[in-house]
Amino acid sequence: MSECTHDCSSCKSKDCGERKDFKEKMNELSNIKKVIGVVSGKGGVGKSLVTSLLAVLANKKGYKTAILDADITGPSIPKMFGIKDKATAMDDKYLLPKVSNNGIKVMSINLLLENENDPVVWRGPVIAGAVKQFWTDVVWNEVDYMFVDMPPGTGDVPLTVFQSLPVDGIIVVASPQELVSMIVGKAVKMANMMNIPVLGIVENMSYFICPDCGKQHSIFGQSKIEETAKEYGIDNIAKIPIDPNFASLSDKGEIEKFDGSCLNDIIDAITK
């Protein structure tokens, strides 16, 4: 038998084990209506920032919002929201997510570690298992939109999320560089293989506006996000500027104070 591509719609095998439904059952005390994955083809593009900002904007629109931090080896979501308390157990069976100042529910491996700086030195299957448990063993209760902050690339954990969770769509995060088309292409093609729609592309660090003259500068090169979106048939794009305020809010755990409009079109596309 040829190597499985995980694209069951084109598979000719009638008895392949990959054809079964791998979806994990949602926690029995949870009701999550929509799951949105935030992905990138490479690291260092600001995926966790985009995840946090989308959750903040959805929360401001009145939706019950949550973040599942699937970046097990590089968790940063709790720090961005100023969450320092550890997750607690419920009836020695389930876990309860922590809740931000404005009501966003968060579950991350950093909420289970003794020290937030402790490294997670686990192999792929163990990491994938932890992500599944965040879905099956955490009491999320009522959630309108759950945003999943995924690790970069197309490896074990993104595949686990796509196969195990009922992902309704993804947002791809990129940066303004020559290889953006290739990076975005990897994420888009993986989503297509799993029959998951791409809802939009966010270009982080897109430009910088000089505070003295007000002129816009393309620090990392001219943006190609429009061409890339057209190439892959994606309608919604957004550009996030280089702004020291983002770093300040994140470092202080005050990301919920974000009050910009750069992601309004993307959040409108998600919540329409």
Side-chain angles (χ1 to χ4, degrees):
M1 185 176 68
S2 61
E3 183 179 356
C4 179
T5 65
H6 305 289
D7 183 5
C8 294
S9 63
S10 63
C11 183
K12 297 180 181 179
S13 176
K14 297 181 179 180
D15 56 358
C16 174
E18 295 290 340
R19 292 179 65 85
K20 67 180 181 180
D21 188 359
F22 288 94
K23 293 291 186 293
E24 294 288 335
K25 185 178 180 181
M26 185 190 307
N27 180 275
E28 60 186 15
L29 300 177
S30 302
N31 180 24
I32 301 166
K33 297 176 182 177
K34 295 287 185 180
V35 178
I36 307 298
V38 182
V39 309
S40 64
K42 66 182 293 293
V45 296
K47 177 177 43 56
S48 296
L49 172 65
V50 172
T51 302
S52 300
L53 295 181
L54 290 175
V56 168
L57 291 174
N59 179 257
K60 288 184 176 180
K61 293 185 74 167
Y63 294 107
K64 297 175 182 177
T65 309
I67 298 178
L68 189 160
D69 189 354
D71 196 350
I72 302 297
T73 60
S76 58
I77 297 296
K79 181 175 178 59
M80 299 178 78
F81 284 86
I83 299 174
K84 298 180 180 180
D85 295 335
K86 302 305 177 185
T88 56
M90 174 182 174
D91 299 331
D92 294 325
K93 183 179 180 181
Y94 297 132
L95 285 171
L96 296 174
K98 300 308 295 185
V99 182
S100 71
N101 291 333
N102 291 347
I104 297 174
K105 298 173 183 177
V106 174
M107 178 51 69
S108 169
I109 197 66
N110 259 13
L111 300 178
L112 302 175
L113 300 176
E114 184 176 352
N115 301 299
E116 65 176 16
N117 293 327
D118 289 345
V120 178
V121 189
W122 296 347
R123 294 190 183 276
V126 180
I127 295 174
V131 173
K132 290 181 183 180
Q133 286 185 289
F134 285 172
W135 178 256
T136 61
D137 296 354
V138 174
V139 179
W140 296 98
N141 290 317
E142 295 290 329
V143 172
D144 294 318
Y145 290 95
M146 170 180 281
F147 295 91
V148 182
D149 182 19
M150 290 204 259
T154 55
D156 282 351
V157 175
L159 180 59
T160 295
V161 172
F162 284 161
Q163 288 188 324
S164 304
L165 276 60
V167 180
D168 295 281
I170 67 166
I171 299 296
V172 181
V173 184
S175 57
Q177 298 169 330
E178 285 288 345
L179 58 136
V180 64
S181 179
M182 180 188 72
I183 294 167
V184 171
K186 289 179 180 294
V188 170
K189 289 176 182 178
M190 183 177 187
N192 290 339
M193 289 169 60
M194 308 304 294
N195 295 316
I196 297 173
V198 180
L199 303 178
I201 302 178
V202 176
E203 183 179 73
N204 190 29
M205 300 175 285
S206 183
Y207 57 89
F208 172 74
I209 297 179
C210 176
D212 296 322
C213 68
K215 186 177 180 180
Q216 181 172 308
H217 300 271
S218 299
I219 303 296
F220 295 107
Q222 194 63 36
S223 172
K224 295 178 175 59
I225 196 68
E226 288 87 357
E227 295 92 328
T228 302
K230 184 177 180 180
E231 178 181 355
Y232 293 103
I234 301 170
D235 295 328
N236 302 299
I237 64 172
K239 298 180 180 180
I240 299 180
I242 299 172
D243 187 346
N245 189 45
F246 287 133
S248 177
L249 291 176
S250 299
D251 291 343
K252 293 178 181 178
E254 299 176 346
I255 197 65
E256 288 176 294
K257 292 184 178 179
F258 168 72
D259 192 30
S261 60
C262 54
L263 289 175
N264 284 358
D265 289 345
I266 292 290
I267 198 64
D268 287 345
I270 292 173
T271 59
K272 67 180 180 180

